[in-house]
Structures are given as structure tokens and as C-alpha cells.
Amino acid sequence: MKPSYLKAFTIRFFKYRLDMMMIKRSKSIKTGQGRTIASFIAVICYVASLSFPFALYAQESSCVECHTSMKKLIEITRAIEAAKPKVKKSEETKGEG
Amino acid sequence: MAPLEPYEKVYIDTDFLDEDEDVHGQISCVTCHGGDPEADEREKAHIGLINTPTDPDPGKACGECHADIVAKNGTNLHFSLSPFKTKIYKRASADPAVRDKIDTAMDNHCMTCHSSCGQCHVSRPKSVEGGLIEGHLFQKTPPVDTNCTSCHGSRIGKEFHGENKGVKPDIHHFKKRMACKACHTGDEMHGTGKEHFDRYEVTNRADCEECHALGTLGKKPEEKKSGKYREHPSHFIHKDKVSCQVCHSGSYKNCYNCHVGKDKAGLTYFKTDPAKMAFKIGLNTNPTPDRPEKYVTVRHIPVSPKLFDYYVKDALTGVDQAPTWKLATPHNIQPKTPQNEECLACHGNNDLFLSANDVDSWEIEANQEVFVTPPPPLEERHDWLDKAELHLAKVDCLTCHDPKQKSPIKDCCACHSSDSILLTNCPDDTEYSMLSWEFTNKELMEDDKYVPCVNSIPALDALAILLVVLTFAGCALHGFLRFIFRRRT
């Protein structure tokens, strides 16, 4: 999934949770302290929401990181080719296939 | 085709990850390829890696979005290669032990040309050492050079691109720059859901008449076709009797005497005799409503009785059960070819037609249904005519074999009379008329088309009569004047 979608989804999810918490808390604590706690939680959630989708994408990016880097691939494939026995083709083959 | 460098085979273009470039790049790598993306080391990350997620079963990788195509995949001839087996089995010994060995041989050799979804749309085929095409960007239409002709190269590719010495490339390629997909649609490639004996049984295969309207004789077709409209009497005459390639293809490659085995190192090999360029017309052994033609182009296939001798002796005990010259559709189509220059290029030219003289002794029985029995010589068939040789040399075939008539004209008076059909109709030009004021004898004499009893021009006739009358009148006047003057003297 594209990171931007994950990010949007996470932000919406945590905002929803925050709204619910605010409603619950506003029923019980209608003081400035309650709003401060809620704001603190909101900030924590927001920061987490930013890092969460990237953390998911990073799992995949280990594949992408190597396979999109020509330099890395050249180095790795050279090493692999050197270690690997060469696949030979029979010299007895004659004519067109 | 040169194989890719090892790094090129696995290099992914970053465009692949852009949703606007390729929606497939939005699917996580592990969904199709497995492996362990959390591992720190390359070796560990590749544990459980699936190199070819679409082979043998494309269900998991492609099925979610392309269910209809995946459902038919078993009948996709590129995937199943079933005609290879059906045709070999037709010739093979019925002994199950022998069949097992034939299967092993075919798996080692023939079936390695097999393809899959990925080997057409994402990577090069395995038979040419694979490797991603376009940095893993999915290709809706497989590229011709890296994919289609990497397997269909020696015959079809070379024909189409004009790489056979002395034979022009296919007109669809060099004039219209058409690629394989223009005729061979995705639907055809993906199978029909039905098992087929060979590729010519596939109902949605390429068909010339999909684009070209033929055999309408003077009437433009109501249905508009994308290809060039080809009005020609030959299309009307030969429609459903002769395949398009018989008149419009050039020489093509024929392969002989293949046998397969393994060398001392255990590596598989094949050996074939040198290919020969030839053009042969044979009988259609399996006329169908889709392909009703009696005469078709035929190509020699590389089968031989000793094909599988390395694996098992006498494997093809029924080698005479199927022809070695089989229906072919060469891909070097030309509007003008040596065989369509004139009627007699084919009619009476027995060298073009497959006969027992063209095959080895062991092939004679196998090709009995393909051989064309030569018709009697043209002179013999036209011996009812007075001066047959003169007529054959001077008269255009279509004058008597008029496509508008159900049968050829055999009445001499149709031509040799004062109301001859030649006065108003000529096969070369429907506007041609000797009664026209613009007509002069020049055209007639130049083309050697003088026909006794017919070719008189009324104006010339009147002039000749006038000259004769004037001559007589002059003589009479001369006599009369002399008579007058003699009397006076």
C-alpha cells in the first residue's frame, strides 16, 4: 500500500480515537487539566501516526533498496556470479531450434 | 539475442513504484515473491523467495485482479504447449513404458519453450535466460524483440523482419510498422478455455479478413474494415479455395531431421539438419468452416523417426500417422509475389505443389493427404480449342474464365462474332470498350489482342469503303471524261 494512504488512514484513525476520548473525558472532567492531558495524548498520537506508516513501508523497502540501486546490484551479482558454477550449454547442439 | 547482464535481470526501475506508471508497483514485493523483507542479510532475505510467481500457478499472483484470464490459463497454448504433445503422441508408440520415456525427453527439450504470465509481461522467457524487461514495469503488450521473437525467432521473426536472404519483410511490418499484437490479440494469447489439438483450432486466432475485405467483386463492402480494401478478380475466384498465403507469401524456412539427447556432461542438446528455404503448396488436411481452403502453404517440420532415439528406440513407430509437411502461415506477406504475377505462375507450375518427389521415402505415406495430384497440362485441358497454344499464349485467362460467370466460356462465338464480348468488356479494365470513340487499333495491336471477326473500327470501315467508292468514282469519271474528249477530237 502506498505510504500516503497509510498515513492518511492512521491520522484519521487516531483523530477518531482522540475525538472519542475527548467526548468521554469532557463528560467527566471539564477542567483545563483534562484538556491538557488530551492535547498531550493528541500530540503523541500524531507523532506516532507519522512514524507508523513509514515503519510499515520500510519493511518492504529493504527489497526495493537493493533492487533499485544499480551500483549495489552490480557488486552483488558479480559476487554471486563468481561464486556460482557457470551453466554450460552443450557443444553438441547444432542447427536452429 | 544476447542475454542480459546479471544485474539487469533483477534491476527494478523506480518508476515501477510510481502508482501512475504501474499499478502493480503498489503491491508489496512479498505478496508475489515471498522472502523475508525484515532480514538484514541478502541470503536470509531471499529464503523462501519465489522467482517466478506466475509459473506454474498464476492464481495467487495474478488471479485476484485478472481472474478471467487466469481461469483460462490451462488452455493457453503458450503455457500448456499441448499441441507439441498431441502431435508427438499421434506418431508415438502406444507402449506406456515408451510413452514415459517420450514424456521425459519432451520435458527435457520440447517443453522448455513454455511461457507464463510473467515471462510475457514482466520478464524475458526462461528459455532465453530470463531477466526483467523495462525494470519490472509490467508490459500490457509483450515487446516483440525481447519476448515474442525470442521464442518465435528463427522462422516467424526472420520472415516478418525480412532477415531471410532474398525475401522481403512482411508488408505489415515494413510499411505499416505493425507489431505482433495488431493481429494476435491478448484474447488469442490467453487461451479460449477449451483444449485445442493445435493452434489453428483456436477460434479467435489472427484472421486476414478481420481487416481486409476480399472477394466482393466490384462492390465495396458495407462493413468498414481497417485494412486496405483489395478489389481483385483473383480474390473472388480463389476465395475459400486457396489460402491468402498461397498467393501472398514468399519463400520460408523449413526444418528437417531433429534429434535430441544429452551429452557426456549431462547437458541437453538438439541437432537439426540445415534449414532450407522453400515455398510449397499442399492440400489442407483439415478443412473447417473457419479455414475451408483446399490449397494452403505447407512447411516441413523437424520431426524424424529417430527424434527420441537417445531416450528410447522406436519411439515414433507411427511416424506416418501425421504429415511432416503441415499447414503454415508464413509471416512474409507481400502484395506482389512471383506466384501471383499471372495465372500461369501457379496453374501449370507443378514445382510449387508438394509431391512425393519433395519428400524422403519414409515420409511418403505420412504426406499422402497433403500431396497435390498434378492436373493434366494446360494444353491438354484446353485441347477442345482450335489453336489451343495460340489461345493460351494470346488470350488473357480471365476473358474465358470470367469470375462473373459460373463456368468458363466455351462458346467460340462469344468472342468471334460481330457482337463479341470483347467489344465491350476486357478483363484488364471494365471501362474498356472498342466501341468508344477514343479507342484506336494501337492498343489492340500492341497487346496482341487482335481477334478475327471482331476488331473492326466502324470509322475505319467507313473510310475504307469511301476510299473504294472514290477509287471507282475516279475511274468512272476518268473514263467518262476521256470518252467526252475523244468524241470532240
Side-chain angles (χ1 to χ4, degrees), chain B residues 24-165:
Chain B
H24 297 93
Q26 305 306 303
I27 302 165
S28 74
C29 309
V30 286
T31 305
C32 298
H33 290 284
D36 182 3
E38 287 179 20
D40 298 332
E41 292 171 19
R42 183 181 60 79
E43 287 82 4
K44 285 180 184 169
H46 286 88
I47 291 172
L49 181 81
I50 303 162
N51 276 330
T52 52
T54 62
D55 190 17
D57 179 18
K60 192 184 166 205
C62 313
E64 196 178 321
C65 299
H66 306 283
D68 53 333
I69 295 172
V70 169
K72 295 184 293 184
N73 193 49
T75 59
N76 171 351
L77 299 186
H78 281 90
F79 176 78
S80 70
L81 298 180
S82 61
F84 278 10
K85 285 211 165 170
T86 52
K87 297 212 167 181
I88 286 293
Y89 282 173
K90 203 169 177 187
R91 300 177 173 98
S93 159
D95 181 349
V98 175
R99 285 272 169 114
D100 279 351
K101 289 182 178 170
I102 290 175
D103 284 346
T104 307
M106 291 194 76
D107 288 343
N108 287 345
H109 302 273
C110 320
M111 309 308 267
T112 54
C113 283
H114 147 103
S115 191
S116 65
C117 309
Q119 288 177 54
C120 286
H121 296 285
V122 187
S123 70
R124 291 184 181 190
K126 213 173 172 181
S127 55
V128 290
E129 300 184 23
L132 295 171
I133 42 174
E134 300 291 331
H136 208 299
L137 281 154
F138 279 57
Q139 307 296 304
K140 189 172 183 188
T141 303
V144 173
D145 293 336
T146 55
N147 289 64
C148 307
T149 55
S150 66
C151 292
H152 301 278
S154 357
R155 283 168 286 276
I156 303 302
K158 284 187 178 175
E159 284 162 18
F160 198 61
H161 296 132
E163 290 165 18
N164 289 322
K165 200 178 174 186

Side-chain angles (χ1 to χ4, degrees), chain A residues 92-97, chain B residues 154 270-275:
Chain A
E92 288 195 39
T93 292
K94 274 182 194 168
E96 289 181 81
Chain B
S154 357
F270 67 85
K271 288 179 183 176
T272 56
D273 286 351

Side-chain angles (χ1 to χ4, degrees), chain B residues 407-421:
Chain B
S407 51
I409 296 166
K410 284 197 167 181
D411 176 13
C412 304
C413 292
C415 291
H416 298 276
S417 64
S418 56
D419 60 345
S420 166
I421 56 167

Side-chain angles (χ1 to χ4, degrees), chain A residues 59-60 62 67 90 94 96-97, chain B residues 10 12 28 37 253 263 270:
Chain A
Q59 286 186 350
E60 306 286 306
S62 63
H67 282 270
S90 175
K94 274 182 194 168
E96 289 181 81
Chain B
V10 290
I12 295 172
S28 74
K253 196 172 280 178
D263 64 12
F270 67 85

Side-chain angles (χ1 to χ4, degrees), chain B residues 165-177:
Chain B
K165 200 178 174 186
V167 186
K168 287 183 186 171
D170 195 298
I171 188 167
H172 301 94
H173 168 66
F174 82 88
K175 275 214 166 165
K176 300 291 176 187
R177 312 308 297 173

Side-chain angles (χ1 to χ4, degrees), chain B residues 172 183 205-216 221 223-228 235 238-245 289-293:
Chain B
H172 301 94
C183 301
R205 65 173 188 273
D207 180 5
C208 306
E209 289 189 67
E210 283 282 313
C211 294
H212 296 285
L214 306 171
T216 50
E223 188 190 350
K224 199 176 179 185
K225 307 251 183 176
S226 57
K228 202 162 186 178
H235 289 154
H238 297 109
K239 188 172 161 58
D240 296 344
K241 293 175 189 162
V242 174
S243 76
C244 304
Q245 288 80 7
D290 275 354
R291 193 179 287 279
E293 296 90 9

